[in-house]
Amino acid sequence: MRIASLPQPAGTGCESGFRGVVCVSFDSADDTADHDAGGRPRHDLRFTSANPESLSELRSALLRSSVGIRLVLTGSPVDIHAAAAVAAECGLAEEEVTLVSDESGLRVVFCAHCRTRTETVEPIGSEVECQGCATDLEIANHFSRRQAAYLGFAANAEEAA
Amino acid sequence: MTMTALQPEVHHAVKDGLQLEVTDVTRQTESIVSITFADPSGAPLPSYVPGSHLVVQCGTGANAYSLTGSGTAPSEYTISVLQVADGAGGSLAMHRLAAGDLVYVSRPRSAFAPAATARHFLLVAAGIGITPVLSHARACAEWGIAADLIYVHRPGAGAHVTEAKELLGSAVTECSDRVSFQKTLAEKLTTQPLGTHLYVCGPVAFMDAVLDQAREHGWPSARLHSEAFGAAELDAGEPFTVNLARSGVKLNVPAGVSLLETLEQAGKAIPNMCRKGICGECSLSVLRGKPQHRDLYLSDQEKAENTTMMCCVSRSLDEELELDL
Amino acid sequence: MNTTIINDQNTGDTAVLPERIKGFPFPFSSDSYRYSANVEPAHKIVQTDVGSWGSSLIDVDEYYLSDLKEREKVLEKDPSRTAVLPHMRPAVWDAITTLLPAMAEDHPDTMSYHREGNVCRWTNTLQNLELEFTVGDDDSLPMGPMRFLGSQITDDIVFLDPREDTLWLDAGLVTFAADWSFGFDVGMKFMEVHTPVPRVTTEPVINRAHQFLLRLQPGEQFRRTNWTMTVDRRLDTSTESYPEWARDRGTIANDPDLPNRLHLRVEVQHMLCLPHTGAVLFLVRTYLLPLSDIAQVPVWRERAGHVLAELPDDMAEYKGIIRYRKAASDWLLAGE
Ligand code: HEM
Ligand code: FES
Ligand SMILES: [Zn+2]
């Protein structure tokens, strides 16, 4: 087993043709440590969050790998969904990816009107102010894996002013 | 001409299909011929999904054969037919076809479609199983997608080898013994870039072995595809009789004809909408007998009660059904 | 049972009704409405009380050019109304080479299509358009294949990719959505697309539709209708533009001009399995008819009135008509 150090410089990911289990954890210490790779080779990636740099590193690791790999994503729902969207873009099927969500309840709300993404811990059905257009958004029970976000739309917009 | 121009009886499997003319017969190997069909008037034929098959009526039987083209706006359909020793599957009659003969064929059916998201294809064929895989190889060439082909055949008995090599070049590996095949397969299964899909066609035991081996190497089922002729179709079913209790009429429902069609032909107006077993409009009350439920409308429990049936797709398990009609 | 003013138009006299009413796909067959898998083969002509609809796959009617102009405006303002994930490029070409010949066949006086190998020639005299393009070559169409298709048909266009035992909404061009966001839904599975629909988990309709669509064979074409209501003849009622039109939902009930402003919005939805890629193409053609027009057909007036009055709250809420459906049904039924 090889544990990568944090943060990882680009280009030192798993070797080309890797077919084992890639365990990615976002700011959650040893959460993937107990993931059982079933005796298969395992490669760990640790990131602080799902930002453009870490996602691009994940992408290049995946594109170097071969059919047979599995991906385990651990962290907040926000981070692992963003990473899962990258995995889907790289051609991973659903059954090749496992999501292990922490209990933070953190989610991204995507504003349908200005397309800004707002992070919140408010539950589905409640309201949150859009960080882009300041509209009060109702958080719909509608999740997009590609946007890694819940739909938000103008709350109370039908009530006469 | 070696055959009567037209079979009088249209087989149920090619109903609503096309009537085509044989325009070319080419011997591929000692036991395999390629047969090309075209519209007698020269009209273009329907496009098809790579890996599709055609049901061809020959004599009184009808059999499915893979189309070998890419499926892009075809003016002709080409299939390759292996002559089986005992002539099973109508292969003898097929081998007797000659240019100018007219045959009934189904519209192309898709049950081995390439995954749109595939970035690379690993094609594996044994013997006559090369045919749908050749179709995939052509489509890959047209859309500029890379593919590897492993082709297992007896020495000198490989069909379409030249075409495959023209399409895929050095990505074709021919194997004529078990050992070299096992070695090649294991090597390929462990080195495919992410996003590769595997397509295998050949004898069932061969396909099963390849799929098992792929799974052992960690291939998930989403990436594995094997040719299953006809799985996409509702089969014609067995003939049965319906007894219409209220009108005191008995009707025979032949194989390949739905109960709904039979009732309509007998002048009964049955409400219907989709004719595909999903809308629920054509439900009938069953008084006696066990329907063979083939619809998507009734719940499992309703199906088990056997008191209602969707007559557009469902048939009978018993020889006779009594209906409240 | 129908009284007064409109009796003379009740039967024989439908010739005087305008085309928009005679060709309107009135969706109600009884006095109540529930979700059902109301799927039927495409092309089947449906006789209504005053006319008929449904003979062609792509309907070209009096709104053809104005609707397309409206679409251009929407796309100009918001390019996220169209998207094609890379693997769906072949499906878009498949749709073009399927729909253009179908249109030419249905409208031989104004449209023609010829294909020679991969080179196609398309004429559409309604738009003074004559062009040649090469199948598979995205650059051979000035605005690219997706935008081009969206400039020839007024239907909203959605492509679904069959894989992993489900259908993925992976491409399309949708400018006239009835209260949903195409841009947000791109990349979703069929069942995920439908999560906001009430009763999805308790009624088997959507599940059944899913199974049905998965079993479609290349070349097969089916259709269904769906409906809601819209204030004014506003085609773009997407979630994106919701702040612009949401207020009308709150005010229309007390507007004396309700019968002219409030429209029954009917979608004729076609579902095709494309011949060369096997992708499922979902086309949505939107028809809007004001209640004042509905009322010109007494049977429609009454039936629509009863449906609106009877519709369960959860469905009325979801359709966005709960604030004014009573006002609408009161007006419709007042003539009884
Ligand atoms: C072929 C692809 C289809 C697509 C892409 C599609 C898409 C959609 C979308 C985007 C919505 C709105 C969801 C929202 O509020 O965000 C919707 C609603 C709905 N869909 Fe589908 N649909 C399809 C096929 C079908 C079929 C075949 C059926 C049923 C037989 C069906 C039944 C419904 C129903 C009942 C609603 C709620 C409509 C209402 O109350 O106004 N859909 N669909
Ligand atoms: S006609 Fe629709 S279920 Fe039979
Ligand atoms: Zn916003």
Side-chain angles (χ1 to χ4, degrees), chain C residues 20 89 172 239 255 281:
Chain C
R20 65 174 186 275
R89 268 188 60 230
T239 311
D255 188 332
L281 176 61

Side-chain angles (χ1 to χ4, degrees), chain B residues 55-96:
Chain B
V55 180
V56 182
Q57 175 169 4
C58 207
T60 51
N63 283 287
Y65 301 97
S66 292
L67 288 155
T68 57
S70 72
T72 308
S75 54
E76 52 186 38
Y77 288 160
T78 301
I79 58 171
S80 290
V81 181
L82 172 71
Q83 186 174 334
V84 195
D86 60 0
S91 65
L92 270 173
M94 291 294 290
H95 273 238
R96 264 188 243 115

Side-chain angles (χ1 to χ4, degrees), chain B residues 260 272-282 310-312:
Chain B
L260 175 60
N272 70 86
M273 193 171 182
C274 66
R275 303 179 82 96
K276 281 282 260 195
I278 114 148
C279 74
E281 287 290 315
C282 68
M310 298 297 140
C311 65
C312 61

Side-chain angles (χ1 to χ4, degrees), chain C residues 177-333:
Chain C
D179 211 353
W180 63 286
S181 166
F182 166 81
F184 185 76
D185 281 11
V186 174
M188 283 188 197
K189 301 189 218 185
F190 182 85
M191 294 305 279
E192 293 169 344
V193 169
H194 284 95
T195 38
V197 178
R199 308 173 177 217
V200 261
T201 45
T202 51
E203 287 182 16
V205 169
I206 305 286
N207 213 346
R208 226 180 257 155
H210 183 221
Q211 292 305 315
F212 165 78
L213 292 168
L214 280 173
R215 287 170 167 81
L216 280 185
Q217 271 292 316
E220 288 190 316
Q221 307 186 343
F222 288 85
R223 68 159 188 240
R224 66 184 290 264
T225 58
N226 189 31
W227 69 276
T228 181
M229 299 186 91
T230 302
V231 179
D232 301 329
R233 197 175 185 284
R234 180 190 287 273
L235 284 162
D236 174 17
T237 50
S238 58
T239 311
E240 286 87 336
S241 63
Y242 178 65
E244 292 165 30
W245 52 267
R247 186 68 41 86
D248 294 338
R249 282 185 174 170
T251 54
I252 189 67
N254 296 317
D255 188 332
D257 203 21
L258 174 140
N260 293 317
R261 289 192 67 199
L262 191 57
H263 291 63
L264 181 60
R265 182 187 191 108
V266 178
E267 296 179 343
V268 174
Q269 308 176 336
H270 277 97
M271 288 151 277
L272 289 65
C273 184
L274 291 170
H276 185 43
T277 54
V280 172
L281 176 61
F282 183 62
L283 298 171
V284 184
R285 173 64 207 271
T286 299
Y287 298 85
L288 287 156
L289 198 63
L291 295 194
S292 50
D293 276 353
I294 299 280
Q296 292 202 49
V297 185
V299 190
W300 291 4
R301 175 184 189 124
E302 234 182 276
R303 221 182 278 157
H306 287 302
V307 165
L308 291 176
E310 195 275 345
L311 196 72
D313 276 352
D314 60 339
M315 291 170 71
E317 167 84 49
Y318 171 73
K319 285 181 184 285
I321 66 175
I322 194 138
R323 292 165 192 272
Y324 54 79
R325 56 118 156 213
K326 182 162 184 327
S329 89
D330 285 351
W331 183 81
L332 287 164
L333 296 176

Side-chain angles (χ1 to χ4, degrees), chain A residues 37-120:
Chain A
R40 307 176 58 195
R42 165 181 168 144
H43 179 79
D44 285 72
L45 290 170
R46 296 228 180 126
F47 301 117
T48 46
S49 69
N51 52 48
E53 292 75 39
S54 60
L55 291 179
S56 117
E57 193 174 324
L58 171 63
R59 187 188 310 269
S60 55
L62 292 176
L63 292 179
R64 277 197 309 276
S65 66
S66 291
V67 173
I69 70 152
R70 292 296 183 275
L71 180 63
V72 180
L73 301 169
T74 309
S76 76
V78 165
D79 290 325
I80 62 176
H81 287 307
V86 166
E89 259 176 57
C90 292
L92 263 85
E94 269 198 307
E95 59 180 307
E96 291 169 317
V97 182
T98 307
L99 302 184
V100 187
S101 170
D102 67 21
E103 303 296 314
S104 68
L106 201 62
R107 65 182 96 240
V108 173
V109 177
F110 178 90
C111 174
H113 317 306
C114 78
R115 308 179 61 79
T116 301
R117 308 165 65 81
T118 303
E119 281 192 22
T120 181

Side-chain angles (χ1 to χ4, degrees), chain C residues 3-53:
Chain C
T3 50
T4 67
I5 10 173
I6 23 192
N7 250 352
D8 55 322
Q9 285 174 351
N10 201 357
T11 44
D13 223 10
T14 58
V16 304
L17 289 177
E19 211 40 59
R20 65 174 186 275
I21 300 180
K22 287 198 288 185
F24 187 72
F26 187 74
F28 305 129
S29 52
S30 76
D31 284 350
S32 77
Y33 174 87
R34 292 295 182 275
Y35 294 144
S36 71
N38 53 337
V39 176
E40 64 187 351
H43 298 287
K44 204 168 98 182
I45 296 175
V46 177
Q47 302 293 338
T48 65
D49 299 280
V50 292
S52 69
W53 63 276

